[in-house]
Amino acid sequence: MDTAMGANDSRLMNARCPRASKYHPDWMIGAGCGANPVWLAEWLCEAVPLEPGMRVLDLGCGRASSSIFLAREFGVQVWATDLWFNATENHERIRDAGLGEQVFAIHSDAHSLPFAGEFFDAVVCLDSYIYFGTDVLYLNYLCHFVKPGGWIGVAGAGLMQEVEGEVPEHLRAWWTGDLYALFTAEWLRRHWARPGLVSVEVADTMPEGWRIWVEWQRAVAPENVVEIEALGADAGRTMGYVRGVARRRTEVTLVDYCWPDPLRSLPANYVRQPLLRDG
């Protein structure tokens, strides 16, 4: 990587994300997937007060660029956890960033996490929560891994308003069934508030987030004309970026909300019974 060339390269220099603008565009593009996770991490951490030494779970970390960013910028330890992306490749990227003793690549399903209860000070999910977190019981499960008073934050592609009935005409050429998993900020606030496990501190949208979305797509996938044109035509009416931040309530006992402790399997309880009435 040519340092001088990187310093003079204006690609992905964004006033909205001054911390992220220090990072080489080729590095961000090479480690990107979906939205720009580094930009989303910077936006999310305006509302999640990370401090040096905290233990952070970057859940659905993709290629771990967000994990590297969080460790470098905030001095936290990060467990870069993903199911789809190769942990060995992520470890190599982490090691090349000089963070092999601070960021740890983990291969795991978000529904079967290999961590001790109350291990993390914070959990962040960047453009990934829609793939595993919208089940009504998932927040209960995730809270078991967060210390009382700890933080849960998500940021990613979302809806500015609910899509009721027909998909808007200007989005139909791009729209696929998986986009119905996207949610609004208000939906996330209601969804998280309902079980009473967390206090929802923030549920909002990024101002002009659709422009950031388009800028990233033009950099990472300029051939993706259908998506770029659909977002341009929408101009933020329907699509953009959504953020949610919550704290685990200290006065709530999680076992009251979950059957049983999800960190353990049910105990063996087999009693032999006759199979057939006449047997």
Side-chain angles (χ1 to χ4, degrees), residues 3 8 23 26 37 64 72 94-95 118-120 140 153 167 243 252 258:
T3 304
N8 296 320
Y23 291 78
D26 289 343
R72 282 182 52 87
I94 291 162
R95 182 191 58 199
E118 299 185 356
F119 183 76
F120 294 104
N140 298 352
V167 174
R243 173 176 65 175
V252 174
C258 299

PDB file of all heavy atoms in Angstrom, residues 3 8 23 26 37 64 72 94-95 118-120 140 153 167 243 252 258:
ATOM      1  N   THR A   3       1.651   4.720   0.950  1.00  0.00           N
ATOM      2  CA  THR A   3       1.162   5.655   1.960  1.00  0.00           C
ATOM      3  C   THR A   3       0.937   7.036   1.382  1.00  0.00           C
ATOM      4  O   THR A   3      -0.072   7.698   1.655  1.00  0.00           O
ATOM      5  CB  THR A   3       2.153   5.737   3.126  1.00  0.00           C
ATOM      6  OG1 THR A   3       2.354   4.427   3.647  1.00  0.00           O
ATOM      7  CG2 THR A   3       1.621   6.636   4.229  1.00  0.00           C
ATOM      8  N   ASN A   8      -3.172  11.205  -0.527  1.00  0.00           N
ATOM      9  CA  ASN A   8      -3.701  12.113  -1.547  1.00  0.00           C
ATOM     10  C   ASN A   8      -4.954  11.572  -2.234  1.00  0.00           C
ATOM     11  O   ASN A   8      -5.443  12.183  -3.180  1.00  0.00           O
ATOM     12  CB  ASN A   8      -2.613  12.382  -2.601  1.00  0.00           C
ATOM     13  CG  ASN A   8      -1.414  13.099  -2.015  1.00  0.00           C
ATOM     14  OD1 ASN A   8      -1.584  13.997  -1.184  1.00  0.00           O
ATOM     15  ND2 ASN A   8      -0.216  12.702  -2.424  1.00  0.00           N
ATOM     16  N   TYR A  23      -8.587   6.182   7.221  1.00  0.00           N
ATOM     17  CA  TYR A  23      -8.287   4.831   6.761  1.00  0.00           C
ATOM     18  C   TYR A  23      -8.253   4.783   5.232  1.00  0.00           C
ATOM     19  O   TYR A  23      -9.031   5.454   4.557  1.00  0.00           O
ATOM     20  CB  TYR A  23      -9.312   3.850   7.325  1.00  0.00           C
ATOM     21  CG  TYR A  23      -9.169   3.690   8.819  1.00  0.00           C
ATOM     22  CD1 TYR A  23      -9.665   4.658   9.693  1.00  0.00           C
ATOM     23  CD2 TYR A  23      -8.489   2.604   9.357  1.00  0.00           C
ATOM     24  CE1 TYR A  23      -9.506   4.539  11.072  1.00  0.00           C
ATOM     25  CE2 TYR A  23      -8.323   2.476  10.733  1.00  0.00           C
ATOM     26  CZ  TYR A  23      -8.832   3.440  11.583  1.00  0.00           C
ATOM     27  OH  TYR A  23      -8.665   3.329  12.951  1.00  0.00           O
ATOM     28  N   ASP A  26      -8.731   1.714  -0.166  1.00  0.00           N
ATOM     29  CA  ASP A  26      -8.574   0.342  -0.657  1.00  0.00           C
ATOM     30  C   ASP A  26      -8.749  -0.667   0.476  1.00  0.00           C
ATOM     31  O   ASP A  26      -9.284  -1.766   0.268  1.00  0.00           O
ATOM     32  CB  ASP A  26      -7.208   0.158  -1.315  1.00  0.00           C
ATOM     33  CG  ASP A  26      -7.094   0.875  -2.651  1.00  0.00           C
ATOM     34  OD1 ASP A  26      -8.152   1.235  -3.214  1.00  0.00           O
ATOM     35  OD2 ASP A  26      -5.967   1.085  -3.125  1.00  0.00           O
ATOM     36  N   PRO A  37     -18.985  -0.822   7.047  1.00  0.00           N
ATOM     37  CA  PRO A  37     -19.087  -1.049   8.488  1.00  0.00           C
ATOM     38  C   PRO A  37     -18.275  -0.053   9.312  1.00  0.00           C
ATOM     39  O   PRO A  37     -18.603   0.189  10.479  1.00  0.00           O
ATOM     40  CB  PRO A  37     -18.569  -2.477   8.661  1.00  0.00           C
ATOM     41  CG  PRO A  37     -17.701  -2.714   7.474  1.00  0.00           C
ATOM     42  CD  PRO A  37     -18.293  -1.922   6.356  1.00  0.00           C
ATOM     43  N   ALA A  64     -14.280  -7.983   9.541  1.00  0.00           N
ATOM     44  CA  ALA A  64     -13.617  -7.482  10.761  1.00  0.00           C
ATOM     45  C   ALA A  64     -13.025  -6.087  10.635  1.00  0.00           C
ATOM     46  O   ALA A  64     -12.293  -5.661  11.514  1.00  0.00           O
ATOM     47  CB  ALA A  64     -12.543  -8.459  11.235  1.00  0.00           C
ATOM     48  N   ARG A  72      -8.683   0.272  17.378  1.00  0.00           N
ATOM     49  CA  ARG A  72      -7.727   1.359  17.167  1.00  0.00           C
ATOM     50  C   ARG A  72      -8.231   2.690  17.713  1.00  0.00           C
ATOM     51  O   ARG A  72      -7.477   3.453  18.333  1.00  0.00           O
ATOM     52  CB  ARG A  72      -7.430   1.511  15.667  1.00  0.00           C
ATOM     53  CG  ARG A  72      -6.467   0.473  15.095  1.00  0.00           C
ATOM     54  CD  ARG A  72      -6.202   0.758  13.620  1.00  0.00           C
ATOM     55  NE  ARG A  72      -5.799   2.139  13.411  1.00  0.00           N
ATOM     56  CZ  ARG A  72      -4.550   2.603  13.482  1.00  0.00           C
ATOM     57  NH1 ARG A  72      -3.576   1.755  13.770  1.00  0.00           N
ATOM     58  NH2 ARG A  72      -4.281   3.866  13.263  1.00  0.00           N
ATOM     59  N   ILE A  94      -6.566  -8.779  10.945  1.00  0.00           N
ATOM     60  CA  ILE A  94      -6.356  -8.206  12.280  1.00  0.00           C
ATOM     61  C   ILE A  94      -4.866  -8.147  12.606  1.00  0.00           C
ATOM     62  O   ILE A  94      -4.351  -7.130  13.101  1.00  0.00           O
ATOM     63  CB  ILE A  94      -7.112  -9.051  13.323  1.00  0.00           C
ATOM     64  CG1 ILE A  94      -8.629  -8.872  13.149  1.00  0.00           C
ATOM     65  CG2 ILE A  94      -6.679  -8.695  14.736  1.00  0.00           C
ATOM     66  CD1 ILE A  94      -9.459  -9.972  13.818  1.00  0.00           C
ATOM     67  N   ARG A  95      -4.157  -9.221  12.317  1.00  0.00           N
ATOM     68  CA  ARG A  95      -2.712  -9.274  12.579  1.00  0.00           C
ATOM     69  C   ARG A  95      -1.971  -8.232  11.758  1.00  0.00           C
ATOM     70  O   ARG A  95      -1.067  -7.549  12.270  1.00  0.00           O
ATOM     71  CB  ARG A  95      -2.193 -10.683  12.242  1.00  0.00           C
ATOM     72  CG  ARG A  95      -0.711 -10.892  12.527  1.00  0.00           C
ATOM     73  CD  ARG A  95      -0.259 -12.196  11.916  1.00  0.00           C
ATOM     74  NE  ARG A  95      -0.499 -12.218  10.474  1.00  0.00           N
ATOM     75  CZ  ARG A  95      -0.548 -13.326   9.746  1.00  0.00           C
ATOM     76  NH1 ARG A  95      -0.404 -14.509  10.318  1.00  0.00           N
ATOM     77  NH2 ARG A  95      -0.745 -13.276   8.441  1.00  0.00           N
ATOM     78  N   GLU A 118     -22.477 -12.473  30.845  1.00  0.00           N
ATOM     79  CA  GLU A 118     -22.077 -11.153  31.334  1.00  0.00           C
ATOM     80  C   GLU A 118     -20.593 -10.872  31.083  1.00  0.00           C
ATOM     81  O   GLU A 118     -19.931 -10.185  31.850  1.00  0.00           O
ATOM     82  CB  GLU A 118     -22.420 -11.009  32.816  1.00  0.00           C
ATOM     83  CG  GLU A 118     -23.917 -11.150  33.075  1.00  0.00           C
ATOM     84  CD  GLU A 118     -24.319 -10.899  34.519  1.00  0.00           C
ATOM     85  OE1 GLU A 118     -23.420 -10.684  35.373  1.00  0.00           O
ATOM     86  OE2 GLU A 118     -25.542 -10.902  34.802  1.00  0.00           O
ATOM     87  N   PHE A 119     -20.080 -11.368  29.954  1.00  0.00           N
ATOM     88  CA  PHE A 119     -18.657 -11.212  29.627  1.00  0.00           C
ATOM     89  C   PHE A 119     -18.345  -9.854  29.015  1.00  0.00           C
ATOM     90  O   PHE A 119     -17.262  -9.313  29.198  1.00  0.00           O
ATOM     91  CB  PHE A 119     -18.242 -12.323  28.657  1.00  0.00           C
ATOM     92  CG  PHE A 119     -16.779 -12.323  28.302  1.00  0.00           C
ATOM     93  CD1 PHE A 119     -15.839 -12.787  29.210  1.00  0.00           C
ATOM     94  CD2 PHE A 119     -16.349 -11.868  27.066  1.00  0.00           C
ATOM     95  CE1 PHE A 119     -14.491 -12.792  28.883  1.00  0.00           C
ATOM     96  CE2 PHE A 119     -15.006 -11.865  26.728  1.00  0.00           C
ATOM     97  CZ  PHE A 119     -14.061 -12.338  27.651  1.00  0.00           C
ATOM     98  N   PHE A 120     -19.313  -9.267  28.285  1.00  0.00           N
ATOM     99  CA  PHE A 120     -19.033  -8.081  27.489  1.00  0.00           C
ATOM    100  C   PHE A 120     -19.578  -6.805  28.126  1.00  0.00           C
ATOM    101  O   PHE A 120     -20.649  -6.799  28.728  1.00  0.00           O
ATOM    102  CB  PHE A 120     -19.617  -8.237  26.083  1.00  0.00           C
ATOM    103  CG  PHE A 120     -18.956  -9.315  25.277  1.00  0.00           C
ATOM    104  CD1 PHE A 120     -19.590 -10.533  25.075  1.00  0.00           C
ATOM    105  CD2 PHE A 120     -17.698  -9.115  24.745  1.00  0.00           C
ATOM    106  CE1 PHE A 120     -18.973 -11.540  24.344  1.00  0.00           C
ATOM    107  CE2 PHE A 120     -17.075 -10.118  24.009  1.00  0.00           C
ATOM    108  CZ  PHE A 120     -17.709 -11.331  23.813  1.00  0.00           C
ATOM    109  N   ASN A 140     -33.539 -11.158  24.473  1.00  0.00           N
ATOM    110  CA  ASN A 140     -33.400 -11.853  25.753  1.00  0.00           C
ATOM    111  C   ASN A 140     -32.119 -12.692  25.778  1.00  0.00           C
ATOM    112  O   ASN A 140     -31.373 -12.698  26.759  1.00  0.00           O
ATOM    113  CB  ASN A 140     -34.597 -12.771  25.990  1.00  0.00           C
ATOM    114  CG  ASN A 140     -35.912 -12.035  26.068  1.00  0.00           C
ATOM    115  OD1 ASN A 140     -35.949 -10.816  26.085  1.00  0.00           O
ATOM    116  ND2 ASN A 140     -36.999 -12.782  26.119  1.00  0.00           N
ATOM    117  N   GLY A 153     -25.752  -2.003  20.769  1.00  0.00           N
ATOM    118  CA  GLY A 153     -25.967  -1.006  19.714  1.00  0.00           C
ATOM    119  C   GLY A 153     -25.985  -1.641  18.343  1.00  0.00           C
ATOM    120  O   GLY A 153     -25.179  -2.533  18.050  1.00  0.00           O
ATOM    121  N   VAL A 167     -44.806  -2.239  -2.850  1.00  0.00           N
ATOM    122  CA  VAL A 167     -43.510  -1.562  -2.784  1.00  0.00           C
ATOM    123  C   VAL A 167     -43.567  -0.344  -3.701  1.00  0.00           C
ATOM    124  O   VAL A 167     -44.113  -0.419  -4.806  1.00  0.00           O
ATOM    125  CB  VAL A 167     -42.392  -2.524  -3.242  1.00  0.00           C
ATOM    126  CG1 VAL A 167     -41.052  -1.803  -3.336  1.00  0.00           C
ATOM    127  CG2 VAL A 167     -42.303  -3.711  -2.290  1.00  0.00           C
ATOM    128  N   ARG A 243     -30.299   3.468  13.445  1.00  0.00           N
ATOM    129  CA  ARG A 243     -29.428   3.197  14.596  1.00  0.00           C
ATOM    130  C   ARG A 243     -30.274   2.972  15.843  1.00  0.00           C
ATOM    131  O   ARG A 243     -31.284   3.649  16.051  1.00  0.00           O
ATOM    132  CB  ARG A 243     -28.494   4.388  14.805  1.00  0.00           C
ATOM    133  CG  ARG A 243     -27.633   4.350  16.048  1.00  0.00           C
ATOM    134  CD  ARG A 243     -26.681   5.535  16.118  1.00  0.00           C
ATOM    135  NE  ARG A 243     -27.383   6.811  16.261  1.00  0.00           N
ATOM    136  CZ  ARG A 243     -26.780   7.990  16.440  1.00  0.00           C
ATOM    137  NH1 ARG A 243     -25.459   8.064  16.468  1.00  0.00           N
ATOM    138  NH2 ARG A 243     -27.488   9.093  16.569  1.00  0.00           N
ATOM    139  N   VAL A 252     -33.194  -5.843  36.483  1.00  0.00           N
ATOM    140  CA  VAL A 252     -33.977  -6.926  35.897  1.00  0.00           C
ATOM    141  C   VAL A 252     -33.181  -8.227  35.962  1.00  0.00           C
ATOM    142  O   VAL A 252     -32.011  -8.280  35.595  1.00  0.00           O
ATOM    143  CB  VAL A 252     -34.349  -6.603  34.436  1.00  0.00           C
ATOM    144  CG1 VAL A 252     -35.025  -7.796  33.779  1.00  0.00           C
ATOM    145  CG2 VAL A 252     -35.252  -5.387  34.390  1.00  0.00           C
ATOM    146  N   CYS A 258     -36.546 -15.537  30.369  1.00  0.00           N
ATOM    147  CA  CYS A 258     -36.089 -16.542  29.409  1.00  0.00           C
ATOM    148  C   CYS A 258     -36.282 -17.934  29.992  1.00  0.00           C
ATOM    149  O   CYS A 258     -36.142 -18.142  31.183  1.00  0.00           O
ATOM    150  CB  CYS A 258     -34.607 -16.352  29.096  1.00  0.00           C
ATOM    151  SG  CYS A 258     -34.218 -14.767  28.358  1.00  0.00           S
TER     152      CYS A 258
END
